[in-house]
Every structure is written in C-alpha cells, then in structure tokens.
Amino acid sequence: MISVADIIKENRIPSNFFDYNAYVKGDLEIGLLENRRGDRLLAVPETLISSLYAGLAKETGQASKLVLFNCGKWWGKNFYTRFTESIEEYYSQNLAEMNMITFIQSLKECWRTHGWGKFEFDPQYQAQGFILIKTFNSPYVRAVVGNTMPTGYLEAGVLTSFFSRLTGRELFAVQTTCESLGADCNTYIIGLPERLQIVDSFLAEGLPHETILQRILK
C-alpha cells in the first residue's frame, strides 16, 4: 500500500533552493550561521574586505591582482563543488540531465543569497566561443586609488574556475567594465585563454567593452 508520505515525496515540486529565508539559518546567541544543508556560513563585513584589499596592495603591490585572482580560482573550484552537489541533491538530477534554465536560475539565486550582488548570464555569443557575465553591486569590486583598470580580480578568478569545471575546458574570465570605474555593472568575458590574452592591451588603450568584444569576435 502506498503511503501519503510517499505520494507527497514523489510529487514534490522543487522551488528555489537558495531562497534566503529557507537557506540561511542562524543562532544569534552563539554567532552561528548555517545553510539548509548544515554547512557553515561566514558573514564578512565590508570593512574587513576593504582592509584585506588595502593590506594586499601595500604588501604585494601590483602582485595583489594575481593574488586575488588565484584566491578567486581556489574559491571558485570549491564553490562549484558545493553548488552542484546542492542542486543535484535538491532536484534529484545529475547536472548533465538538468536543463540550463534551472541551472542558471539557481546560480543567480545562490549569488544573490550569499550577498554577492546580482548575477546575469548572457549566452548570445556562445556560438562564437564566448560567455558574458554581468554582476551588479559586487562587494568584491573595490575602488583603488588611481586605478584606471577594472579591479574585479577575485570575481574573475571565481568565474574562471567555475566555468572551467562546468564545461570541462580550461577557460579564462577577463573583466571589461567595472563599477569602480563608474560603470553600472561589472562585465566579464569568458572564453579560451589564447583568445582573450589581448584584452589587457585593449583595456590599457582605454577601449570600451563593445569595441573590445567586436575585436575579439573577429
């Protein structure tokens, strides 16, 4: 005989796994934050982020860009593992069986719920070998005194590692617009490293995003 509990379980319609009210759980008295799977969460104040960036710049100079990028790559690798495990378990599907809409919507909600701002995915240039990502209100894009180049090195590292593991190919993310330079969002182009190596020279020339994009598409 089939129980009511089994019927409910089998016909459950998954909603938003990363809904903030359901995803973040905490005990203010002991200062503990967890997600709905029981994994520990860490609340990072803005002053700490600013201090880390300033300290890195002082101690390592220009090398701070590479340090942040590599930290982002390490973070992105672990983030990809936790993210895919969560949604595969929740939707009872392997990643390969999941439709792209569900995957991207989950990624957007995850990004927002973790306090990283707004995330947009633009696949219109996928046939030419590029993916565009836009982030808004990023806590990790910091204005640096005298900077004229984008500063989202940490996010670029996260996206590099995340999409490399998602596609099974060694990809690279380069930032072409930056909130720290007055843009309304941070834009990242993701593609094969050899096709994006020239972008830094375009940025140094002060070329805008659309011009850079059209040049690499050619």
Side-chain angles (χ1 to χ4, degrees):
M1 187 175 193
I2 300 176
S3 69
V4 173
D6 289 335
I7 294 174
I8 293 174
K9 181 178 179 181
E10 292 301 320
N11 289 278
R12 177 181 66 89
I13 301 176
S15 56
N16 174 16
F17 176 78
F18 295 101
D19 175 73
Y20 184 86
N21 292 322
Y23 183 77
V24 179
K25 303 178 183 297
D27 188 326
L28 294 178
E29 291 186 3
I30 61 175
L32 178 67
L33 281 177
E34 294 179 336
N35 65 19
R36 64 194 301 170
R37 297 179 68 200
D39 300 323
R40 293 289 297 272
L41 297 175
L42 177 66
V44 181
E46 186 174 350
T47 50
L48 176 59
I49 297 173
S50 297
S51 298
L52 287 173
Y53 275 55
L56 272 176
K58 183 177 181 179
E59 293 296 326
T60 63
Q62 290 296 314
S64 63
K65 303 172 185 178
L66 183 59
V67 172
L68 287 168
F69 182 79
N70 286 331
C71 286
K73 286 184 68 176
W74 179 86
W75 185 2
K77 173 184 176 181
N78 291 280
F79 171 56
Y80 175 79
T81 299
R82 293 193 302 272
F83 174 77
T84 53
E85 285 178 352
S86 296
I87 61 173
E88 284 181 340
E89 179 183 305
Y90 185 65
Y91 290 104
S92 300
Q93 283 184 311
N94 291 326
L95 193 62
E97 301 170 341
M98 196 173 298
N99 66 66
M100 184 57 73
I101 293 176
T102 299
F103 178 84
I104 293 300
Q105 190 60 34
S106 296
L107 181 56
K108 288 180 178 181
E109 293 295 336
C110 177
W111 204 270
R112 182 183 63 82
T113 295
H114 280 88
W116 302 340
K118 182 181 174 184
F119 179 101
E120 287 187 0
F121 176 85
D122 184 354
Q124 65 175 308
Y125 300 105
Q126 195 167 341
Q128 290 102 318
F130 298 106
I131 296 171
L132 266 60
I133 300 295
K134 293 180 180 179
T135 66
F136 301 78
N137 302 317
S138 171
Y140 301 111
V141 173
R142 298 275 135 182
V144 180
V145 176
N147 72 294
T148 58
M149 300 278 280
T151 61
Y153 312 112
L154 188 70
E155 273 193 343
V158 171
L159 295 171
T160 291
S161 194
F162 186 92
F163 282 94
S164 291
R165 280 155 181 76
L166 177 64
T167 61
R169 303 190 66 179
E170 193 63 37
L171 301 180
F172 181 68
V174 61
Q175 186 181 11
T176 53
T177 72
C178 187
E179 290 176 318
S180 73
L181 296 174
D184 63 347
C185 68
N186 308 293
T187 305
Y188 300 88
I189 303 174
I190 302 173
L192 295 174
E194 57 268 24
R195 298 186 67 186
L196 293 173
Q197 288 176 346
I198 197 170
V199 172
D200 276 347
S201 64
F202 291 155
L203 289 168
E205 292 177 32
L207 297 181
H209 165 76
E210 288 300 331
T211 302
I212 292 173
L213 182 60
Q214 291 308 312
R215 288 196 180 186
I216 64 173
L217 286 173
K218 293 178 181 179

